[in-house]
């Protein structure tokens, strides 16, 4: 069931960005941040973009033994339990073509789907004052160079 | 122990005088107050200079709050440096308490304190540990050891990154329970709160921390 579900980021406090193709997710409510194994990175990109895990895996997911259905299912459940994603009621999918390119990356993955959580910066994230000033009245402003 | 106050400022003409006023009201005054004007297009520099002879304004092209902080730290010539955002305030005995703390704790490199939000806004009055530029007093040599304050994309999280690097280097940072500073919240500001483009800075801070962790793991 979980494999065919569609998800979205759980709230505005979940920030997901990729750097050099590597996703990092920050939960600003608790100040935790997350990183993924290579296959986890691809599945995160898919489910956080509105694809279901089933769409990503396609019918031929058995090609890579690291990607057993039970492993993918457990991974998606961990994302849910960590509060990073929520199930969506609508059924609209992600952009066409995304599944194909991600599927290829997934087939070449060398690690099983996994997520790592870090809380060493939690006190700093939770205490960081957002500078509530408006451009051009003040920070945060960094002009492009 | 002498200290220098460092204020990075960009278009802060509305608040800079009040901010500097909270420094001039300290029970222990700094030897010098450095306002780093980060390419402001308003009267920030003029207003700052008018507050006291202790104020020295350093002007630079707009580069971000982190870069301006770095400039200020590098210009400090005293044993201690205390930093402050241009829209925030210190309580009267902030510096005295922190100097006393650092004198009593020679093993400690930098000390912070509790901070309370203020302003005509429902969020005003929140109080908590201020791991922030506005509450920091640090041994200048330790601050310089940490290196430049990097501006993450989006302009948020510069101090998280810098303080994380400081800790990883073994710089000893302490938090005082005492309320020492006030952080201004401007009512009705659209940019307060979550903003995807600006929150990217937080993700970058986390990514940088992950990269450092990987290098450490490789090295160990």
């Amino acid at each position: 069931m979980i494999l065919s579900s569609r998800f979205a980021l759980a709230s505005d406090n979940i920030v997901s960005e990729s750097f050099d193709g590597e996703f990092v997710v920050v939960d600003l409510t608790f100040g935790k941040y997350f990183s993924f194994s290579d296959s986890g990175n691809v599945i995160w990109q898919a489910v956080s973009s509105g694809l279901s895990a089933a769409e990503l895996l396609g019918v031929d997911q058995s090609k890579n033994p690291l990607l057993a259905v039970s492993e993918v299912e457990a991974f998606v459940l961990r994302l849910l339990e960590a509060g990073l994603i929520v199930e969506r009621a609508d059924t609209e999918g992600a952009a066409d073509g995304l599944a194909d390119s991600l599927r290829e990356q997934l087939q070449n993955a060398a690690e099983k789907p996994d997520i790592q959580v870090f809380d060493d910066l939690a006190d700093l994230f939770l205490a960081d004052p957002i500078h509530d000033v408006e451009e051009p009245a003040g920070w945060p402003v960094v002009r492009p160079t | 122990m002498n200290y220098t106050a460092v204020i990075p400022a960009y278009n802060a003409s509305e608040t800079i005088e009040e901010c500097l006023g909270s420094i001039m009201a300290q029970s222990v005054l700094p030897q010098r107050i450095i306002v780093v004007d980060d390419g402001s297009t308003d009267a920030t520099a003029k207003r700052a200079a008018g507050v006291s002879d202790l104020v020295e304004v350093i002007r630079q092209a707009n580069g971000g709050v982190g870069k301006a902080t770095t400039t200020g730290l590098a210009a400090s010539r005293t044993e201690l440096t205390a930093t402050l955002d241009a829209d925030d305030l210190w309580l009267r005995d902030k510096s005295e308490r922190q100097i006393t703390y650092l004198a009593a704790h020679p093993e400690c490199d930098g000390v912070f304190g509790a901070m309370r939000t203020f302003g005509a806004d429902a969020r005003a009055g929140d109080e908590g540990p201020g791991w922030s530029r506005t509450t920091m007093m640090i041994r200048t040599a330790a601050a310089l050891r940490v290196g430049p304050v990097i501006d993450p994309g989006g302009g948020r999280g510069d101090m998280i990154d810098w303080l994380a690097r400081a800790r990883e280097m073994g710089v000893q940072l302490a938090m005082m329970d005492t309320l020492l500073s006030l952080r201004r919240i401007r009512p009705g500001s659209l940019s307060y709160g979550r903003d995807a483009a600006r929150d990217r800075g937080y993700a970058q801070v986390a990514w940088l921390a992950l990269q450092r962790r990987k290098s450490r793991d490789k090295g160990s």
Side-chain angles (χ1 to χ4, degrees), chain A residues 77-111:
Chain A
L77 276 173
R78 284 185 69 187
L79 300 178
L80 273 169
E81 282 163 11
L84 301 184
I85 51 173
V86 286
E87 207 164 336
R88 277 168 36 171
D90 59 71
T91 54
E92 204 173 306
D96 288 346
L98 181 63
D100 289 341
S101 71
L102 291 181
R103 203 175 289 135
E104 194 180 323
Q105 288 179 47
L106 200 56
Q107 295 293 358
N108 297 322
E111 300 157 349

Side-chain angles (χ1 to χ4, degrees), chain B residues 102-172:
Chain B
L102 288 172
H105 297 83
E107 77 291 351
C108 178
D109 295 304
V111 62
F112 297 73
M115 183 160 70
R116 182 192 290 156
T117 53
F118 76 103
D121 188 279
R123 293 162 303 216
D126 288 351
E127 193 175 317
W131 290 111
S132 115
R133 187 167 16 247
T134 286
T135 65
M136 179 170 81
M137 179 171 281
I138 191 163
R139 298 185 200 278
T140 308
L144 295 177
R145 229 166 43 235
V146 180
V149 183
I150 295 166
D151 288 289
R156 287 184 176 172
D158 59 297
M159 286 303 283
I160 301 177
D161 177 72
W162 194 80
L163 293 173
R165 280 154 47 208
R167 283 181 184 174
E168 289 162 20
M169 291 172 67
V171 172
Q172 297 298 309

Side-chain angles (χ1 to χ4, degrees), chain A residues 12-13 17 19 22 24 28 118 120-121 123-125 127-133 136-140 143, chain B residues 8-11 62 65 85 129 156 160 164 167 183-186 191-192 194 200 202 204 207 210 213-214:
Chain A
D12 288 348
N13 279 335
E17 289 287 342
F19 300 91
E22 184 182 333
V24 56
L28 292 169
F118 302 94
D120 57 312
L121 304 183
D123 55 341
L124 301 180
F125 273 118
D128 193 58
I130 294 168
H131 290 274
D132 47 331
V133 290
W139 272 308
R143 288 184 186 147
Chain B
Y10 175 69
N11 284 356
N62 183 257
V65 62
D85 281 327
R156 287 184 176 172
I160 301 177
R167 283 181 184 174
R183 184 201 149 217
R184 186 187 306 267
I185 290 183
R186 296 194 193 184
S191 57
Y192 182 88
R194 299 273 69 90
R200 184 179 157 81
Y202 289 130
Q204 190 173 352
W207 185 76
L210 286 166
R213 184 181 292 270
K214 281 181 191 168

Side-chain angles (χ1 to χ4, degrees), chain A residues 45-59:
Chain A
Q45 189 178 348
V47 298
S48 64
S49 319
L51 277 174
S52 69
E55 281 169 298
L56 180 65
L57 292 170
V59 289

Side-chain angles (χ1 to χ4, degrees), chain B residues 20 24 33 47-56:
Chain B
L20 288 167
M24 295 308 295
I33 303 171
R47 290 197 180 176
V51 170
S52 163
D53 289 343
L54 289 183
V55 175
E56 178 188 333

